[in-house]
Amino acid sequence: MKTLSLTLSGILLASTALIAPGLAYAQTPPTAQTPAVISQDPEAQDPDPEEASDVDEIVVLGRYIPEPLRETSEVAAFVTAEDLQRTGDDNAAAALTRVTGLSIVEGRFVYVRGLGERYSSALLNGSPLPSPEPLQRVVPLDLFPSSILEGVTVQKTYSANYPGEFGGGVIDLTTISAPAEPFLTFKVSMGGNTETTGRDGLVYYGSRTDFTGFDDGTRDVPGLLRDAIASGNRVQTGADFTSAEIQAIGRDFVNAPLNLLQEQDYIQPNFGIEITGGRSWAAGNGDLGVVFVAAYDNEWQTRQGIQQEARLDVDQLVAQTSYDYRSTSNEIGLNFLGSIGWSNLDHDVKWTNLFVRRVTKEARTREGIDFSAPGTGEVRDDYTEWFERDLFSSQLAGEHTFLDGALEFDWRGAYALTTRDSPYEKVIRYGLGADGVYRHDGEQYRNSTTFSELEDKIVSGGADLRYIIPLSDARDLTISGGVAWFDNTRSSEQRVFRFYAPNGIPGDVQDSRVDYLFSDFNLGPNLLELQEITPGGGAAAYDAGLEVLAGYIQAEAEIIPLVSLSAGVRYEDGEQFVNPIDVFGNAVTFQPTRLEEQYWLPSATLTWNFAEDLQLRLGASQTIGRPQFRELAPQQYLDPDNDRLFSGNPYLVDTELLNLDARVEWYFARGQYVTGGVFYKDIENPIESAINDTGSVLQQTYLNAPQATLYGFEIDAKKYFEWPDHSIDFVANKRWLVQANYTFADSEVTVEAGDTVRPVSAGGATRPASDFIIDGSKLQGQSDHLANLQLGWEDDVARSQATILVTYVSERSSARGRPGEPDLIQDPGVILDFVYRKDFEWMGRDLGLSVELRNLLGEEYVEYQELGTRVVANGYDLGRSGSISLTARF
């Protein structure tokens, strides 16, 4: 049994000792030195001083402290429905970039205070979610459209009621609920991008129904191939399959619609439609309500850029490969949410179902120099891909109060399933001949067709009980406890095939267009023959699971006047495994992973309301971070975003964190505030990614660094201005907004003499950590500076709103370089957006117009290594984007 050192456990005992003096103090009549009673009700008026002198109770003042922050003891941020409307962000990931200390990576994953997505957890209505991504266990937040969200809670200090996998924070998405008044809205939108819309693009046909997000069967695994795979044998000519059988299986592959890249001289605009509605009815002694959302969107993106791989030459980097590439992707999204609930004053039961589908159809090509390629080294790679990502979640939850609100009981049960299917993932390489023509020879220049599937499932449940014990007329002690359980299972498999020419390809066939090259006429034992090249030994498939059983107890009370303490401890028993599977039934050469750990995770937060609407929070906790399945699995995976090969490391172990926080909050008016805080994290065994050589192939893998620290500060402010008597009507009729936040963070990875790591390249043997990690380097994903600025106005009379949004993220490390090489650096830069909303009536109908302009400064995406010279690992123009939408309310 492994137990974290309980350095905070004394706080739990201290809180019990402190409550008793607080009781005695609360019964002491106020004196000139003790402040008078002021109500916690934010709507209350200032009390009469003479009446206040007769009151013998002291409570926390909170006139302008927003309700969510009054109810929580933790350092937290809340994205409300109003915030989502103001920023116009389409999904949860984009919306969270506006929160202090948060940044977005790859448009999907949120980093909290510079810690990667593995150190945060995402919940939907309090229940955990699986991920459809091969490289992450954390669900990508771009899957959640903002239209289904009522709000988002970002808690940055740990409390025992949340899962123990908590380094940066927990992100809890809350879906919309049934309304008090019936509503129905219909929205249409259209948009484009300067790098994509109306310009040339690269496409392939696919199937007739691709625009719907569903294939018409063209990409189904061919029947003969499916039967051959079911035999458990490697699909190639030999003892198990005759040459004639292999020829028939090869001819069963779909060719022209999925192989042939085409130029399209006009890429259409993005568009989407959405319908939302809900209403409630009286039912029994309560209300029955329903709400639904259904949406479809179709978006295009063209990228033109450069991809290079570096190698160290004496004391500087040189490009080992250098490609100019071009891709056009079409992303189709379908979203459905339905919720039904029944509630009254004491009970609330809700059943919520969510289905999200994201399909990416991509065609891309790259050409350039690969010094490891035969001949001149000048090559071209053509890709056609289709990725299906589905998420289904069903949750039944209830909230109940008893004993006039003194006892609260909450429960939840959820089933969530995500899948990722990538059929006919194709690549073919051509070499440049002396005559300037690219040709494929079927032997030196390989081609491949990959079928891969991933299924990730979570079954979870939990219950929480809270009991409020009155300490006096105005102060309570809240004791809470609960249990939680979840079982996360994942299965992943890929099969890889190629057509090869054992006797070479005649020149006239090499000159054929790709759909003729792989036509049935050329498929046979004397020319091109199908061969399975799926790696064995467990590198092509795995099963994985993580089961966690947890329980916690927590207490919260005003221990002395104006000072409250929330303290608790969580126990987690977790068992995680990754079992490589040889798809051919042979012995597995990769080591399975099994991590069985038990942890006691204490937490405490002290809140001191030392002045009117001004409070100080101090938090301390111990938490953990578990390796993700993909980080442990030896299966290789090619990331289509950067054409980088990834492979896991079965020798990883858990990460352990000590978290310290302090924040001052001043709410000087309704909806207006200034906050500032500092944070510090001590991290044992942080997981870092590293570039690794496998023969002539570069791949990105993972290892545990020995130790790291992260520290910094963050400030956040929001202020409204009004000038009702201004001489200019445009200024006088509006409420002006200035909102800004800034986070500074610094980190240091520590490598001391004798520290070791277990890289996968060493087969699990220990190696000096200094060979892979530079002492004093920063944590991956950590940016020194994060800043957001919002400037805008609201006009209630004109029913309009405009906001300028600026986001800045400084450079961050995206991966460790090979030994002796610098890290790969990503530079997100400055993003400038503008959002305008206007409500109006037309022909008796209430309408809403929204205009969004994104990346107005034309910021580029760039990831590079630099030592003497700069080598661009991936760089392309993002382009400027714009969209317009019209919403009709019925």
Side-chain angles (χ1 to χ4, degrees), residues 321-352:
T321 64
S322 181
Y323 300 102
D324 292 319
Y325 78 95
R326 181 183 179 200
S327 78
T328 300
S329 61
N330 181 204
E331 182 163 307
I332 304 102
L334 295 166
N335 312 306
F336 300 97
L337 180 137
S339 178
I340 182 170
W342 180 87
S343 64
N344 61 16
L345 291 176
D346 297 320
H347 306 283
D348 188 353
V349 179
K350 185 166 68 171
W351 182 30
T352 302

PDB file of all heavy atoms in Angstrom, residues 321-352:
ATOM      1  N   THR A 321      14.623  16.131 -42.482  1.00  0.00           N
ATOM      2  CA  THR A 321      13.561  16.106 -43.479  1.00  0.00           C
ATOM      3  C   THR A 321      12.952  17.496 -43.547  1.00  0.00           C
ATOM      4  O   THR A 321      12.926  18.224 -42.539  1.00  0.00           O
ATOM      5  CB  THR A 321      12.448  15.089 -43.132  1.00  0.00           C
ATOM      6  OG1 THR A 321      11.803  15.505 -41.924  1.00  0.00           O
ATOM      7  CG2 THR A 321      13.022  13.699 -42.950  1.00  0.00           C
ATOM      8  N   SER A 322      12.475  17.858 -44.714  1.00  0.00           N
ATOM      9  CA  SER A 322      11.844  19.168 -44.878  1.00  0.00           C
ATOM     10  C   SER A 322      10.774  19.054 -45.954  1.00  0.00           C
ATOM     11  O   SER A 322      11.075  18.748 -47.110  1.00  0.00           O
ATOM     12  CB  SER A 322      12.886  20.219 -45.267  1.00  0.00           C
ATOM     13  OG  SER A 322      12.279  21.495 -45.393  1.00  0.00           O
ATOM     14  N   TYR A 323       9.523  19.258 -45.531  1.00  0.00           N
ATOM     15  CA  TYR A 323       8.390  19.121 -46.441  1.00  0.00           C
ATOM     16  C   TYR A 323       7.586  20.426 -46.489  1.00  0.00           C
ATOM     17  O   TYR A 323       7.361  21.068 -45.454  1.00  0.00           O
ATOM     18  CB  TYR A 323       7.441  18.015 -45.975  1.00  0.00           C
ATOM     19  CG  TYR A 323       8.034  16.638 -45.873  1.00  0.00           C
ATOM     20  CD1 TYR A 323       8.386  16.110 -44.637  1.00  0.00           C
ATOM     21  CD2 TYR A 323       8.227  15.857 -47.006  1.00  0.00           C
ATOM     22  CE1 TYR A 323       8.916  14.835 -44.526  1.00  0.00           C
ATOM     23  CE2 TYR A 323       8.756  14.582 -46.911  1.00  0.00           C
ATOM     24  CZ  TYR A 323       9.101  14.073 -45.662  1.00  0.00           C
ATOM     25  OH  TYR A 323       9.625  12.812 -45.558  1.00  0.00           O
ATOM     26  N   ASP A 324       7.132  20.757 -47.677  1.00  0.00           N
ATOM     27  CA  ASP A 324       6.043  21.714 -47.832  1.00  0.00           C
ATOM     28  C   ASP A 324       4.764  20.897 -47.928  1.00  0.00           C
ATOM     29  O   ASP A 324       4.684  19.954 -48.728  1.00  0.00           O
ATOM     30  CB  ASP A 324       6.228  22.549 -49.097  1.00  0.00           C
ATOM     31  CG  ASP A 324       7.425  23.474 -48.999  1.00  0.00           C
ATOM     32  OD1 ASP A 324       7.637  24.058 -47.930  1.00  0.00           O
ATOM     33  OD2 ASP A 324       8.166  23.595 -50.000  1.00  0.00           O
ATOM     34  N   TYR A 325       3.778  21.247 -47.107  1.00  0.00           N
ATOM     35  CA  TYR A 325       2.568  20.429 -47.119  1.00  0.00           C
ATOM     36  C   TYR A 325       1.331  21.287 -47.305  1.00  0.00           C
ATOM     37  O   TYR A 325       1.327  22.506 -47.094  1.00  0.00           O
ATOM     38  CB  TYR A 325       2.443  19.598 -45.840  1.00  0.00           C
ATOM     39  CG  TYR A 325       1.967  20.354 -44.621  1.00  0.00           C
ATOM     40  CD1 TYR A 325       0.629  20.365 -44.266  1.00  0.00           C
ATOM     41  CD2 TYR A 325       2.856  21.032 -43.799  1.00  0.00           C
ATOM     42  CE1 TYR A 325       0.187  21.043 -43.143  1.00  0.00           C
ATOM     43  CE2 TYR A 325       2.439  21.698 -42.675  1.00  0.00           C
ATOM     44  CZ  TYR A 325       1.101  21.710 -42.350  1.00  0.00           C
ATOM     45  OH  TYR A 325       0.663  22.390 -41.242  1.00  0.00           O
ATOM     46  N   ARG A 326       0.270  20.611 -47.680  1.00  0.00           N
ATOM     47  CA  ARG A 326      -1.013  21.258 -47.917  1.00  0.00           C
ATOM     48  C   ARG A 326      -2.108  20.276 -47.561  1.00  0.00           C
ATOM     49  O   ARG A 326      -2.034  19.100 -47.934  1.00  0.00           O
ATOM     50  CB  ARG A 326      -1.110  21.656 -49.386  1.00  0.00           C
ATOM     51  CG  ARG A 326      -2.387  22.370 -49.771  1.00  0.00           C
ATOM     52  CD  ARG A 326      -2.358  22.616 -51.263  1.00  0.00           C
ATOM     53  NE  ARG A 326      -3.549  23.277 -51.733  1.00  0.00           N
ATOM     54  CZ  ARG A 326      -3.940  23.261 -53.001  1.00  0.00           C
ATOM     55  NH1 ARG A 326      -3.227  22.627 -53.904  1.00  0.00           N
ATOM     56  NH2 ARG A 326      -5.039  23.889 -53.371  1.00  0.00           N
ATOM     57  N   SER A 327      -3.085  20.721 -46.824  1.00  0.00           N
ATOM     58  CA  SER A 327      -4.197  19.842 -46.449  1.00  0.00           C
ATOM     59  C   SER A 327      -5.496  20.629 -46.416  1.00  0.00           C
ATOM     60  O   SER A 327      -5.488  21.832 -46.149  1.00  0.00           O
ATOM     61  CB  SER A 327      -3.950  19.202 -45.081  1.00  0.00           C
ATOM     62  OG  SER A 327      -4.218  20.116 -44.038  1.00  0.00           O
ATOM     63  N   THR A 328      -6.570  19.932 -46.701  1.00  0.00           N
ATOM     64  CA  THR A 328      -7.914  20.499 -46.536  1.00  0.00           C
ATOM     65  C   THR A 328      -8.735  19.485 -45.755  1.00  0.00           C
ATOM     66  O   THR A 328      -8.826  18.317 -46.143  1.00  0.00           O
ATOM     67  CB  THR A 328      -8.585  20.785 -47.883  1.00  0.00           C
ATOM     68  OG1 THR A 328      -7.796  21.725 -48.612  1.00  0.00           O
ATOM     69  CG2 THR A 328      -9.984  21.359 -47.670  1.00  0.00           C
ATOM     70  N   SER A 329      -9.288  19.924 -44.642  1.00  0.00           N
ATOM     71  CA  SER A 329     -10.120  19.046 -43.820  1.00  0.00           C
ATOM     72  C   SER A 329     -11.538  19.585 -43.770  1.00  0.00           C
ATOM     73  O   SER A 329     -11.762  20.802 -43.741  1.00  0.00           O
ATOM     74  CB  SER A 329      -9.549  18.907 -42.404  1.00  0.00           C
ATOM     75  OG  SER A 329      -9.508  20.160 -41.753  1.00  0.00           O
ATOM     76  N   ASN A 330     -12.465  18.663 -43.776  1.00  0.00           N
ATOM     77  CA  ASN A 330     -13.892  18.978 -43.663  1.00  0.00           C
ATOM     78  C   ASN A 330     -14.391  18.339 -42.370  1.00  0.00           C
ATOM     79  O   ASN A 330     -14.325  17.125 -42.216  1.00  0.00           O
ATOM     80  CB  ASN A 330     -14.639  18.434 -44.878  1.00  0.00           C
ATOM     81  CG  ASN A 330     -16.131  18.725 -44.862  1.00  0.00           C
ATOM     82  OD1 ASN A 330     -16.907  18.022 -45.476  1.00  0.00           O
ATOM     83  ND2 ASN A 330     -16.544  19.762 -44.160  1.00  0.00           N
ATOM     84  N   GLU A 331     -14.835  19.171 -41.409  1.00  0.00           N
ATOM     85  CA  GLU A 331     -15.322  18.649 -40.137  1.00  0.00           C
ATOM     86  C   GLU A 331     -16.830  18.803 -40.064  1.00  0.00           C
ATOM     87  O   GLU A 331     -17.366  19.902 -40.216  1.00  0.00           O
ATOM     88  CB  GLU A 331     -14.658  19.351 -38.959  1.00  0.00           C
ATOM     89  CG  GLU A 331     -15.118  18.794 -37.614  1.00  0.00           C
ATOM     90  CD  GLU A 331     -14.210  19.170 -36.463  1.00  0.00           C
ATOM     91  OE1 GLU A 331     -12.995  18.934 -36.555  1.00  0.00           O
ATOM     92  OE2 GLU A 331     -14.736  19.701 -35.483  1.00  0.00           O
ATOM     93  N   ILE A 332     -17.487  17.685 -39.821  1.00  0.00           N
ATOM     94  CA  ILE A 332     -18.949  17.666 -39.709  1.00  0.00           C
ATOM     95  C   ILE A 332     -19.315  17.314 -38.278  1.00  0.00           C
ATOM     96  O   ILE A 332     -18.781  16.359 -37.696  1.00  0.00           O
ATOM     97  CB  ILE A 332     -19.571  16.633 -40.679  1.00  0.00           C
ATOM     98  CG1 ILE A 332     -19.133  16.913 -42.123  1.00  0.00           C
ATOM     99  CG2 ILE A 332     -21.081  16.657 -40.573  1.00  0.00           C
ATOM    100  CD1 ILE A 332     -18.062  16.003 -42.623  1.00  0.00           C
ATOM    101  N   GLY A 333     -20.192  18.106 -37.688  1.00  0.00           N
ATOM    102  CA  GLY A 333     -20.584  17.888 -36.304  1.00  0.00           C
ATOM    103  C   GLY A 333     -22.075  17.699 -36.152  1.00  0.00           C
ATOM    104  O   GLY A 333     -22.877  18.384 -36.807  1.00  0.00           O
ATOM    105  N   LEU A 334     -22.461  16.768 -35.303  1.00  0.00           N
ATOM    106  CA  LEU A 334     -23.856  16.533 -34.939  1.00  0.00           C
ATOM    107  C   LEU A 334     -23.946  16.499 -33.425  1.00  0.00           C
ATOM    108  O   LEU A 334     -23.164  15.812 -32.764  1.00  0.00           O
ATOM    109  CB  LEU A 334     -24.362  15.205 -35.513  1.00  0.00           C
ATOM    110  CG  LEU A 334     -24.449  15.094 -37.032  1.00  0.00           C
ATOM    111  CD1 LEU A 334     -24.639  13.636 -37.444  1.00  0.00           C
ATOM    112  CD2 LEU A 334     -25.613  15.924 -37.555  1.00  0.00           C
ATOM    113  N   ASN A 335     -24.901  17.246 -32.865  1.00  0.00           N
ATOM    114  CA  ASN A 335     -25.068  17.321 -31.420  1.00  0.00           C
ATOM    115  C   ASN A 335     -26.537  17.127 -31.069  1.00  0.00           C
ATOM    116  O   ASN A 335     -27.414  17.766 -31.666  1.00  0.00           O
ATOM    117  CB  ASN A 335     -24.618  18.684 -30.871  1.00  0.00           C
ATOM    118  CG  ASN A 335     -23.270  19.106 -31.404  1.00  0.00           C
ATOM    119  OD1 ASN A 335     -22.310  18.371 -31.298  1.00  0.00           O
ATOM    120  ND2 ASN A 335     -23.204  20.287 -31.999  1.00  0.00           N
ATOM    121  N   PHE A 336     -26.784  16.267 -30.108  1.00  0.00           N
ATOM    122  CA  PHE A 336     -28.145  16.067 -29.621  1.00  0.00           C
ATOM    123  C   PHE A 336     -28.107  16.001 -28.098  1.00  0.00           C
ATOM    124  O   PHE A 336     -27.324  15.244 -27.521  1.00  0.00           O
ATOM    125  CB  PHE A 336     -28.747  14.767 -30.163  1.00  0.00           C
ATOM    126  CG  PHE A 336     -28.836  14.708 -31.657  1.00  0.00           C
ATOM    127  CD1 PHE A 336     -27.862  14.064 -32.390  1.00  0.00           C
ATOM    128  CD2 PHE A 336     -29.891  15.312 -32.328  1.00  0.00           C
ATOM    129  CE1 PHE A 336     -27.927  14.016 -33.762  1.00  0.00           C
ATOM    130  CE2 PHE A 336     -29.971  15.264 -33.709  1.00  0.00           C
ATOM    131  CZ  PHE A 336     -28.985  14.610 -34.433  1.00  0.00           C
ATOM    132  N   LEU A 337     -28.935  16.788 -27.453  1.00  0.00           N
ATOM    133  CA  LEU A 337     -29.079  16.736 -26.006  1.00  0.00           C
ATOM    134  C   LEU A 337     -30.556  16.719 -25.660  1.00  0.00           C
ATOM    135  O   LEU A 337     -31.343  17.505 -26.205  1.00  0.00           O
ATOM    136  CB  LEU A 337     -28.410  17.923 -25.327  1.00  0.00           C
ATOM    137  CG  LEU A 337     -28.533  17.938 -23.789  1.00  0.00           C
ATOM    138  CD1 LEU A 337     -27.216  18.315 -23.137  1.00  0.00           C
ATOM    139  CD2 LEU A 337     -29.620  18.914 -23.314  1.00  0.00           C
ATOM    140  N   GLY A 338     -30.921  15.815 -24.788  1.00  0.00           N
ATOM    141  CA  GLY A 338     -32.290  15.763 -24.296  1.00  0.00           C
ATOM    142  C   GLY A 338     -32.287  15.533 -22.796  1.00  0.00           C
ATOM    143  O   GLY A 338     -31.541  14.682 -22.288  1.00  0.00           O
ATOM    144  N   SER A 339     -33.064  16.305 -22.076  1.00  0.00           N
ATOM    145  CA  SER A 339     -33.105  16.181 -20.624  1.00  0.00           C
ATOM    146  C   SER A 339     -34.541  16.289 -20.151  1.00  0.00           C
ATOM    147  O   SER A 339     -35.307  17.141 -20.636  1.00  0.00           O
ATOM    148  CB  SER A 339     -32.248  17.273 -19.971  1.00  0.00           C
ATOM    149  OG  SER A 339     -32.302  17.192 -18.562  1.00  0.00           O
ATOM    150  N   ILE A 340     -34.905  15.426 -19.242  1.00  0.00           N
ATOM    151  CA  ILE A 340     -36.227  15.470 -18.629  1.00  0.00           C
ATOM    152  C   ILE A 340     -36.049  15.422 -17.121  1.00  0.00           C
ATOM    153  O   ILE A 340     -35.202  14.675 -16.610  1.00  0.00           O
ATOM    154  CB  ILE A 340     -37.126  14.310 -19.122  1.00  0.00           C
ATOM    155  CG1 ILE A 340     -38.515  14.400 -18.500  1.00  0.00           C
ATOM    156  CG2 ILE A 340     -36.481  12.946 -18.847  1.00  0.00           C
ATOM    157  CD1 ILE A 340     -39.520  13.434 -19.120  1.00  0.00           C
ATOM    158  N   GLY A 341     -36.781  16.247 -16.417  1.00  0.00           N
ATOM    159  CA  GLY A 341     -36.617  16.309 -14.973  1.00  0.00           C
ATOM    160  C   GLY A 341     -37.908  16.636 -14.260  1.00  0.00           C
ATOM    161  O   GLY A 341     -38.830  17.231 -14.835  1.00  0.00           O
ATOM    162  N   TRP A 342     -37.958  16.240 -13.013  1.00  0.00           N
ATOM    163  CA  TRP A 342     -39.103  16.558 -12.148  1.00  0.00           C
ATOM    164  C   TRP A 342     -38.552  17.158 -10.863  1.00  0.00           C
ATOM    165  O   TRP A 342     -37.558  16.670 -10.301  1.00  0.00           O
ATOM    166  CB  TRP A 342     -39.907  15.302 -11.840  1.00  0.00           C
ATOM    167  CG  TRP A 342     -41.102  15.583 -10.950  1.00  0.00           C
ATOM    168  CD1 TRP A 342     -42.343  15.958 -11.342  1.00  0.00           C
ATOM    169  CD2 TRP A 342     -41.137  15.496  -9.521  1.00  0.00           C
ATOM    170  NE1 TRP A 342     -43.159  16.129 -10.259  1.00  0.00           N
ATOM    171  CE2 TRP A 342     -42.449  15.857  -9.115  1.00  0.00           C
ATOM    172  CE3 TRP A 342     -40.197  15.185  -8.554  1.00  0.00           C
ATOM    173  CZ2 TRP A 342     -42.833  15.884  -7.786  1.00  0.00           C
ATOM    174  CZ3 TRP A 342     -40.580  15.216  -7.216  1.00  0.00           C
ATOM    175  CH2 TRP A 342     -41.885  15.559  -6.850  1.00  0.00           C
ATOM    176  N   SER A 343     -39.187  18.233 -10.396  1.00  0.00           N
ATOM    177  CA  SER A 343     -38.671  18.900  -9.205  1.00  0.00           C
ATOM    178  C   SER A 343     -39.783  19.578  -8.434  1.00  0.00           C
ATOM    179  O   SER A 343     -40.819  19.953  -9.000  1.00  0.00           O
ATOM    180  CB  SER A 343     -37.601  19.936  -9.590  1.00  0.00           C
ATOM    181  OG  SER A 343     -38.163  20.960 -10.377  1.00  0.00           O
ATOM    182  N   ASN A 344     -39.552  19.717  -7.138  1.00  0.00           N
ATOM    183  CA  ASN A 344     -40.353  20.582  -6.280  1.00  0.00           C
ATOM    184  C   ASN A 344     -39.394  21.217  -5.284  1.00  0.00           C
ATOM    185  O   ASN A 344     -38.181  21.213  -5.483  1.00  0.00           O
ATOM    186  CB  ASN A 344     -41.490  19.814  -5.608  1.00  0.00           C
ATOM    187  CG  ASN A 344     -41.001  18.689  -4.709  1.00  0.00           C
ATOM    188  OD1 ASN A 344     -39.829  18.628  -4.333  1.00  0.00           O
ATOM    189  ND2 ASN A 344     -41.913  17.778  -4.356  1.00  0.00           N
ATOM    190  N   LEU A 345     -39.907  21.734  -4.187  1.00  0.00           N
ATOM    191  CA  LEU A 345     -39.044  22.461  -3.262  1.00  0.00           C
ATOM    192  C   LEU A 345     -37.990  21.571  -2.619  1.00  0.00           C
ATOM    193  O   LEU A 345     -36.903  22.032  -2.260  1.00  0.00           O
ATOM    194  CB  LEU A 345     -39.893  23.119  -2.171  1.00  0.00           C
ATOM    195  CG  LEU A 345     -40.782  24.282  -2.622  1.00  0.00           C
ATOM    196  CD1 LEU A 345     -41.635  24.782  -1.450  1.00  0.00           C
ATOM    197  CD2 LEU A 345     -39.928  25.415  -3.179  1.00  0.00           C
ATOM    198  N   ASP A 346     -38.285  20.266  -2.469  1.00  0.00           N
ATOM    199  CA  ASP A 346     -37.381  19.391  -1.729  1.00  0.00           C
ATOM    200  C   ASP A 346     -36.687  18.340  -2.578  1.00  0.00           C
ATOM    201  O   ASP A 346     -35.730  17.718  -2.116  1.00  0.00           O
ATOM    202  CB  ASP A 346     -38.146  18.681  -0.602  1.00  0.00           C
ATOM    203  CG  ASP A 346     -38.683  19.655   0.422  1.00  0.00           C
ATOM    204  OD1 ASP A 346     -37.960  20.614   0.743  1.00  0.00           O
ATOM    205  OD2 ASP A 346     -39.816  19.457   0.901  1.00  0.00           O
ATOM    206  N   HIS A 347     -37.152  18.126  -3.796  1.00  0.00           N
ATOM    207  CA  HIS A 347     -36.613  17.024  -4.578  1.00  0.00           C
ATOM    208  C   HIS A 347     -36.433  17.451  -6.037  1.00  0.00           C
ATOM    209  O   HIS A 347     -37.242  18.203  -6.586  1.00  0.00           O
ATOM    210  CB  HIS A 347     -37.534  15.792  -4.506  1.00  0.00           C
ATOM    211  CG  HIS A 347     -37.836  15.351  -3.112  1.00  0.00           C
ATOM    212  ND1 HIS A 347     -36.943  14.646  -2.349  1.00  0.00           N
ATOM    213  CD2 HIS A 347     -38.940  15.551  -2.333  1.00  0.00           C
ATOM    214  CE1 HIS A 347     -37.476  14.405  -1.157  1.00  0.00           C
ATOM    215  NE2 HIS A 347     -38.695  14.960  -1.122  1.00  0.00           N
ATOM    216  N   ASP A 348     -35.363  16.958  -6.624  1.00  0.00           N
ATOM    217  CA  ASP A 348     -35.067  17.262  -8.021  1.00  0.00           C
ATOM    218  C   ASP A 348     -34.418  16.022  -8.636  1.00  0.00           C
ATOM    219  O   ASP A 348     -33.351  15.584  -8.190  1.00  0.00           O
ATOM    220  CB  ASP A 348     -34.113  18.461  -8.118  1.00  0.00           C
ATOM    221  CG  ASP A 348     -33.920  18.936  -9.551  1.00  0.00           C
ATOM    222  OD1 ASP A 348     -34.418  18.267 -10.468  1.00  0.00           O
ATOM    223  OD2 ASP A 348     -33.268  19.969  -9.748  1.00  0.00           O
ATOM    224  N   VAL A 349     -35.074  15.454  -9.637  1.00  0.00           N
ATOM    225  CA  VAL A 349     -34.554  14.275 -10.319  1.00  0.00           C
ATOM    226  C   VAL A 349     -34.456  14.605 -11.803  1.00  0.00           C
ATOM    227  O   VAL A 349     -35.403  15.141 -12.392  1.00  0.00           O
ATOM    228  CB  VAL A 349     -35.447  13.040 -10.107  1.00  0.00           C
ATOM    229  CG1 VAL A 349     -34.888  11.834 -10.864  1.00  0.00           C
ATOM    230  CG2 VAL A 349     -35.572  12.721  -8.623  1.00  0.00           C
ATOM    231  N   LYS A 350     -33.291  14.302 -12.418  1.00  0.00           N
ATOM    232  CA  LYS A 350     -33.085  14.672 -13.819  1.00  0.00           C
ATOM    233  C   LYS A 350     -32.379  13.548 -14.562  1.00  0.00           C
ATOM    234  O   LYS A 350     -31.427  12.959 -14.067  1.00  0.00           O
ATOM    235  CB  LYS A 350     -32.260  15.962 -13.907  1.00  0.00           C
ATOM    236  CG  LYS A 350     -32.101  16.485 -15.329  1.00  0.00           C
ATOM    237  CD  LYS A 350     -31.588  17.923 -15.353  1.00  0.00           C
ATOM    238  CE  LYS A 350     -30.175  18.028 -14.858  1.00  0.00           C
ATOM    239  NZ  LYS A 350     -29.612  19.394 -15.088  1.00  0.00           N
ATOM    240  N   TRP A 351     -32.871  13.295 -15.769  1.00  0.00           N
ATOM    241  CA  TRP A 351     -32.261  12.314 -16.664  1.00  0.00           C
ATOM    242  C   TRP A 351     -31.774  13.061 -17.897  1.00  0.00           C
ATOM    243  O   TRP A 351     -32.562  13.675 -18.615  1.00  0.00           O
ATOM    244  CB  TRP A 351     -33.271  11.232 -17.033  1.00  0.00           C
ATOM    245  CG  TRP A 351     -32.703  10.149 -17.915  1.00  0.00           C
ATOM    246  CD1 TRP A 351     -31.426   9.706 -17.946  1.00  0.00           C
ATOM    247  CD2 TRP A 351     -33.424   9.381 -18.889  1.00  0.00           C
ATOM    248  NE1 TRP A 351     -31.268   8.704 -18.872  1.00  0.00           N
ATOM    249  CE2 TRP A 351     -32.489   8.473 -19.468  1.00  0.00           C
ATOM    250  CE3 TRP A 351     -34.751   9.349 -19.299  1.00  0.00           C
ATOM    251  CZ2 TRP A 351     -32.852   7.573 -20.461  1.00  0.00           C
ATOM    252  CZ3 TRP A 351     -35.116   8.447 -20.295  1.00  0.00           C
ATOM    253  CH2 TRP A 351     -34.180   7.569 -20.862  1.00  0.00           C
ATOM    254  N   THR A 352     -30.454  13.016 -18.130  1.00  0.00           N
ATOM    255  CA  THR A 352     -29.846  13.779 -19.221  1.00  0.00           C
ATOM    256  C   THR A 352     -29.129  12.836 -20.173  1.00  0.00           C
ATOM    257  O   THR A 352     -28.334  11.979 -19.739  1.00  0.00           O
ATOM    258  CB  THR A 352     -28.837  14.804 -18.674  1.00  0.00           C
ATOM    259  OG1 THR A 352     -29.500  15.675 -17.750  1.00  0.00           O
ATOM    260  CG2 THR A 352     -28.243  15.637 -19.795  1.00  0.00           C
TER     261      THR A 352
END
